[in-house]
Amino acid sequence: MKFRKERKAPSFFPKLIAVAVLSAYAAGASAIEPFTVRDIRVEGIQRTEAGTVFNYLPVRVGDLFNDEKAAAAIKALYATGFFKDVRIEAEGDVLVVAVEERPAIASVDFTGTKEFEKDKLRKALKDLGLGESRILDKSLVDRAEQELKRQYLSRGLYGVKITTTVTPIERNRVNVTFAVDEGEVARIRQIKIIGGQAFKEDELLDQLKMSTPGWFTWYSKSDQYSRQKLAGDIEGLRSFYLNRGYLEMQVDSTQVSISPDKKDIFITINLTEGKKYKITNIKLEGEMLGREQELSALVSLKAGDAYSGERMTESTKKISERMGVFGYAFANVNAVPAINRDKAEVAFTIFVDPGKRVYVRNINIGGNDRTRDSVIRREFRQLESAWYDGDKIRLSRDRLGRLGYFTDTTVDTVEVPGVPDQVDLDVKVTEKPTGAIMVGAGFSSAEKLVLTGSINQANAFGTGNNIGINLNTSRVFRTIGLSYTNPYFTEDGVSRTFDLFYRTSRPPIYLRTINYEVVTQGAAVNFGIPFTELDRVFLGVGYEDTTVTTFAGTSPQRYTDFVRDNDGPASGIGSARTAAIPLTAAWQRDQRDSALIPSRGRYRRASLELSPAGSSQYYRGTYQDQAFWPVTSGITFALNGEFNYGGGLGGDAYPIFKNFFAGGIGSVRGFGPGTLNVSGTRTDAGNFRLPIGGSARLIANAEIQLPFPGTGVDRSLRWFTFLDGGQVWNPNDAEPIRLTDLRYSTGIGISWISPVGPLKLSLAYPINAKLGDYVQRFQFQLGTGF
């Protein structure tokens, strides 16, 4: 297209200078006689400001206008994407820019979408540039349609059909609508593995996360195909073979086909197993800091073993971590094979390059919106300006996890740019709500819904201190308690705890013909003294005042005997008051990686409570042992065991209000809280055994904790299966402790680190409930541990 300027008579009728088609210039526009621009006028704009056009124009008033300036002006305005047509005209020495704007998007809507939320789709398209108030770009609409279709294909909806409609409305705007026909989800109907000889096909299929439809695939969606899933499963197959000696196993090809109706998917994996290799020799070479024997002991594979990729990786990782203890944070440890294919043997040389020794410059803390930096830093055993120590860093991370303030803690080692012998530690924590409203509940046909509760503020105001208010307004166990703990009462980590309490205990509601009351009030102070990084000893003293009240015709014999034997009425009907000064001593070793959601480690605690003075003299001891093993990255096997025993001192009988109880979450699920015992006589209120507890208790629990389907390895929401066992006895009354008296239960449950505290729900089946046992199948509790 040509651009020209003609001299005219004074009529000043406008003449066309140019019609903007940039390709005309590429073909070669004829030269025009330049002229000086006296004024610039913009026509055709509706939403765009004139100033915006002026900003993009490479021409200004007073400039000399020619064909090069015209081409540049058209190109610049088209490049903005605001206009679909641009024309440049002249009226005398006035430059007229005539534009036709592209329409703006008034709304973006979806119909027929069930697999995705509309708001999330709108946000995703807006990130692409397609959203309300944006300029319509047909290429972006096409791209959005293809991206939306790709997302549906990733969900197994291969029959999806998407129709895009652009509807013009007033003021040069349009509505963009994506009409989606999702169709049916395509399911994996068949997976075949060809080439496997050493293992049965079913065993190989078990290694895949993808599967054909089953009982739970509606939730896990493992019967839906995606390229990412297939790639992950191929790696899983390769690892399976490598861990069993097949060093050269190869996946030759994969074929994925879909049925004509796009409802069924068929997958074929072709592989070559190769030979099974045995290890003939493993040696270490490189700079080992004179610790060759120590590092060699970390290699779990030996000559004669079948090769295992997992064990070899584990061995090199241990060597690398061991080098990190001496300050070599970036030690490079590589295992290089020498393969003898004729004999199916392999020898390994593990090369150790420690790199440069480094020290920690700064420890940077992030994610702690509430918790003070000092609370986190005081748990760190790796110090700034000290040599890097991998063991101390791991210990510091575990100590943070055991605080119970965070759901996740990571420590990353970052090189300092330009300084090869320095690193920074970036500590990232994910805080959990530390103010917890703890609620417990159970359901039974006799009591219906039973509720208990307390309020606890751990990490109060981000200081790491703990303030607790325990309130329980139930008729059975009424409690008012206040506690305050400062875990760093001294700079050395000695903790101090104050307790004030007032407790009232009565028989459960379902025992309508039984009545008694035990009221205990008192106070205690306790100090925790750290002896090692894992061990802590607790010493404390307290005062307790207890009143037991019985009623004629409704109080159990043991309660009336206690009243009579403690200066109460000779009939045993009335009240008796006792006082005790309990001294407490305890030892605790905590090796868990987290106090809240442990996946590995062990926790042990032994305690003794001794009251040598006062009108009630007794002792009671406790030993508890917990262990956690990671089965996989998301599955944990946990065990808990606890034994308790108490007795009287100086000829005093063991006080009945110090009895141990079993039943419910925390002991034996499926039985009512505190209702298990051997010797309690049955009553006519439903033929239930009296829940009087005992002076000896044994509890055992086993759990398999698994990630909730669809949450990956997220440990904050898990489900579990369990097996519980336990019972209480009264050996002080010549009642023998017999394991045959144990009650067992099994079941399933869900645990969740909720915004108001740890939540646990369980549905239990009592395996050997006896006549007189109080069964409570469904139970839940907020604020529970194991």
Side-chain angles (χ1 to χ4, degrees):
M1 188 64 65
K2 296 182 179 180
F3 295 87
R4 64 184 183 277
K5 181 175 184 301
E6 299 179 352
R7 297 193 180 276
K8 289 183 55 65
S11 61
F12 296 104
F13 291 115
K15 295 292 183 179
L16 180 65
I17 293 179
V19 177
V21 180
L22 197 58
S23 58
Y25 285 93
S30 60
I32 66 169
E33 183 179 352
F35 70 95
T36 301
V37 178
R38 179 173 57 84
D39 193 14
I40 302 174
R41 188 170 74 245
V42 180
E43 295 179 351
I45 55 176
Q46 299 180 43
R47 299 179 313 275
T48 309
E49 296 290 337
T52 303
V53 178
F54 292 146
N55 287 336
Y56 284 103
L57 272 178
V59 181
R60 298 291 183 268
V61 173
D63 288 355
L64 187 67
F65 184 78
N66 54 30
D67 55 351
E68 292 180 359
K69 287 287 182 71
I74 294 171
K75 183 177 181 180
L77 292 177
Y78 267 120
T80 64
F82 299 158
F83 312 110
K84 66 179 181 180
D85 190 21
V86 178
R87 300 188 312 278
I88 296 181
E89 302 173 347
E91 294 181 358
D93 292 336
V94 176
L95 192 66
V96 179
V97 181
V99 298
E100 184 181 350
E101 291 180 326
R102 292 181 184 274
I105 299 173
S107 68
V108 177
D109 198 10
F110 303 88
T111 61
T113 53
K114 300 176 183 177
E115 191 72 15
F116 301 98
E117 296 179 12
K118 290 184 179 181
D119 289 341
K120 290 184 178 180
L121 289 176
R122 289 191 185 97
K123 183 179 183 303
L125 293 188
K126 193 169 185 178
D127 293 340
L128 286 176
L130 191 69
E132 293 182 9
S133 303
R134 301 288 180 89
I135 302 300
L136 177 67
D137 186 333
K138 187 61 169 64
S139 64
L140 282 180
V141 174
D142 294 338
R143 180 183 170 191
E145 182 177 318
Q146 293 304 315
E147 177 62 23
L148 186 57
K149 184 175 291 186
R150 191 182 69 82
Q151 292 298 324
Y152 272 102
L153 295 180
S154 69
R155 298 286 183 97
L157 291 160
Y158 291 90
V160 64
K161 296 179 181 178
I162 302 175
T163 304
T164 306
T165 305
V166 179
T167 307
I169 60 174
E170 72 279 358
R171 301 201 308 274
N172 196 26
R173 297 180 302 157
V174 295
N175 293 328
V176 181
T177 304
F178 295 91
V180 181
D181 180 5
E182 294 183 339
E184 295 185 17
V185 176
R187 308 289 181 184
I188 300 174
R189 294 300 170 187
Q190 184 184 71
I191 303 177
K192 291 190 67 64
I193 299 178
I194 298 174
Q197 299 177 357
F199 306 98
K200 294 181 180 180
E201 187 177 16
D202 288 345
E203 187 175 359
L204 296 177
L205 290 173
D206 288 341
Q207 310 309 312
L208 308 182
K209 292 184 178 180
M210 291 189 301
S211 67
T212 54
W215 285 103
F216 294 103
T217 55
W218 63 271
Y219 189 88
S220 66
K221 301 187 186 303
S222 61
D223 59 349
Q224 297 181 15
Y225 167 81
S226 74
R227 290 182 181 179
Q228 294 82 358
K229 287 183 181 180
L230 180 59
D233 282 344
I234 289 174
E235 289 303 314
L237 266 181
R238 186 175 286 113
S239 296
F240 176 80
Y241 272 96
L242 287 175
N243 294 337
R244 287 156 181 79
Y246 294 85
L247 186 62
E248 297 182 305
M249 176 269 184
Q250 294 289 334
V251 175
D252 301 318
S253 64
T254 58
Q255 291 89 39
V256 180
S257 59
I258 189 168
S259 62
D261 61 3
K262 297 184 178 180
K263 293 182 179 179
D264 298 322
I265 293 177
F266 302 86
I267 301 173
T268 302
I269 301 174
N270 299 283
L271 59 83
T272 300
E273 291 181 333
K275 296 180 180 180
K276 184 175 182 179
Y277 283 84
K278 286 189 176 182
I279 296 175
T280 57
N281 184 43
I282 298 179
K283 63 180 180 178
L284 273 67
E285 290 189 1
E287 178 55 57
M288 288 170 278
L289 312 176
R291 299 175 180 273
E292 182 174 359
Q293 185 175 359
E294 178 183 347
L295 297 181
S296 296
L298 299 176
V299 181
S300 60
L301 288 168
K302 307 297 179 186
D305 291 347
Y307 171 74
S308 170
E310 183 178 24
R311 292 173 64 188
M312 180 59 74
T313 301
E314 179 185 352
S315 299
T316 56
K317 181 181 178 182
K318 286 182 178 179
I319 294 174
S320 180
E321 289 177 348
R322 188 59 184 164
M323 298 298 288
V325 173
F326 307 112
Y328 298 93
F330 304 106
N332 191 11
V333 181
N334 291 314
V336 179
I339 300 175
N340 185 332
R341 291 183 174 83
D342 294 334
K343 296 183 179 181
E345 295 176 344
V346 59
F348 279 92
T349 301
I350 299 177
F351 291 95
V352 180
D353 178 13
K356 195 171 184 65
R357 194 180 188 193
V358 299
Y359 66 89
V360 175
R361 184 186 67 167
N362 294 321
I363 298 177
N364 306 312
I365 300 173
N368 54 321
D369 296 331
R370 294 183 303 274
T371 308
R372 299 177 185 177
D373 276 13
S374 59
V375 173
I376 297 176
R377 290 186 183 277
R378 68 192 185 191
E379 300 299 329
F380 255 77
R381 296 304 177 255
Q382 170 69 60
L383 303 178
E384 293 178 333
S385 302
W387 290 117
Y388 178 98
D389 189 326
D391 279 353
K392 288 183 178 179
I393 292 172
R394 284 186 289 274
L395 175 62
S396 302
R397 182 195 61 206
D398 289 347
R399 287 178 64 89
L400 288 176
R402 287 194 290 266
L403 288 176
Y405 305 158
F406 314 112
T407 57
D408 187 43
T409 304
T410 60
V411 181
D412 296 324
T413 302
V414 182
E415 296 183 69
V416 177
V419 187
D421 63 344
Q422 295 182 23
V423 296
D424 288 341
L425 297 183
D426 288 349
V427 182
K428 300 293 183 184
V429 297
T430 303
E431 292 182 316
K432 77 176 187 72
T434 54
I437 300 174
M438 302 184 184
V439 180
F443 184 84
S444 70
S445 58
E447 292 185 81
K448 305 303 180 185
L449 190 64
V450 180
L451 298 173
T452 60
S454 66
I455 299 174
N456 188 72
Q457 177 62 62
N459 192 21
F461 312 110
T463 63
N465 298 337
N466 187 306
I467 300 174
I469 303 174
N470 298 314
L471 301 172
N472 189 328
T473 59
S474 73
R475 178 188 179 278
V476 179
F477 297 106
R478 181 166 297 172
T479 303
I480 300 175
L482 299 175
S483 65
Y484 174 78
T485 300
N486 183 351
Y488 275 79
F489 173 62
T490 69
E491 292 183 356
D492 297 328
V494 175
S495 65
R496 183 184 64 184
T497 300
F498 291 110
D499 283 301
L500 294 172
F501 51 86
Y502 182 93
R503 309 185 191 110
T504 301
S505 175
R506 298 185 180 91
I509 296 174
Y510 65 86
L511 298 177
R512 295 180 295 272
T513 61
I514 303 299
N515 195 16
Y516 60 84
E517 183 179 75
V518 179
V519 177
T520 302
Q521 53 190 334
V525 60
N526 192 286
F527 294 90
I529 306 166
F531 275 79
T532 69
E533 295 294 344
L534 302 173
D535 296 275
R536 182 176 287 264
V537 171
F538 298 87
L539 301 173
V541 61
Y543 174 80
E544 294 183 3
D545 184 293
T546 303
T547 300
V548 178
T549 303
T550 57
F551 305 91
T554 59
S555 295
Q557 183 67 38
R558 291 194 178 183
Y559 285 86
T560 58
D561 290 347
F562 181 86
V563 170
R564 184 190 62 243
D565 296 340
N566 286 273
D567 300 327
S571 63
I573 305 302
S575 296
R577 181 178 178 183
T578 64
I581 303 176
L583 307 176
T584 57
W587 162 80
Q588 171 186 291
R589 172 171 290 179
D590 193 348
Q591 298 168 290
R592 298 171 297 175
D593 60 342
S594 171
L596 197 62
I597 40 177
S599 63
R600 60 178 172 83
R602 192 174 177 186
Y603 173 83
R604 283 167 285 181
R605 182 181 176 90
S607 65
L608 176 65
E609 179 180 327
L610 183 69
S611 178
S615 57
S616 182
Q617 300 180 20
Y618 63 90
Y619 69 90
R620 65 201 308 257
T622 296
Y623 178 74
Q624 183 181 21
D625 200 332
Q626 295 181 350
F628 303 86
W629 295 274
V631 180
T632 67
S633 59
I635 300 176
T636 302
F637 178 61
L639 290 177
N640 175 66
E642 185 175 351
F643 180 68
N644 315 90
Y645 194 91
L649 291 175
D652 287 355
Y654 182 70
I656 193 171
F657 51 82
K658 286 293 181 177
N659 275 352
F660 301 99
F661 293 86
I665 290 182
S667 56
V668 186
R669 286 159 281 200
F671 295 90
T675 60
L676 286 179
N677 64 80
V678 174
S679 60
T681 56
R682 291 193 294 273
T683 73
D684 58 357
N687 209 25
F688 296 120
R689 188 176 286 110
L690 286 174
I692 59 175
S695 58
R697 179 177 71 167
L698 178 63
I699 299 295
N701 314 95
E703 282 188 4
I704 299 177
Q705 302 165 353
L706 306 101
F708 209 78
T711 62
V713 295
D714 180 14
R715 292 193 294 159
S716 64
L717 177 61
R718 296 174 295 172
W719 71 283
F720 57 87
T721 63
F722 64 86
L723 175 65
D724 293 342
Q727 186 57 276
V728 296
W729 297 268
N730 280 285
N732 294 317
D733 294 338
E735 182 177 279
I737 298 176
R738 295 183 300 235
L739 297 182
T740 54
D741 294 327
L742 290 174
R743 299 292 189 268
Y744 300 97
S745 68
T746 187
I748 60 174
I750 297 173
S751 64
W752 175 38
I753 307 302
S754 74
V756 293
L759 168 66
K760 225 172 192 182
L761 303 93
S762 67
L763 181 63
Y765 172 74
I767 297 174
N768 61 339
K770 307 291 185 181
L771 182 64
D773 290 341
Y774 183 56
V775 173
Q776 196 178 63
R777 299 183 186 277
F778 174 74
Q779 295 167 324
F780 80 84
Q781 186 172 349
L782 267 167
T784 185
F786 192 91

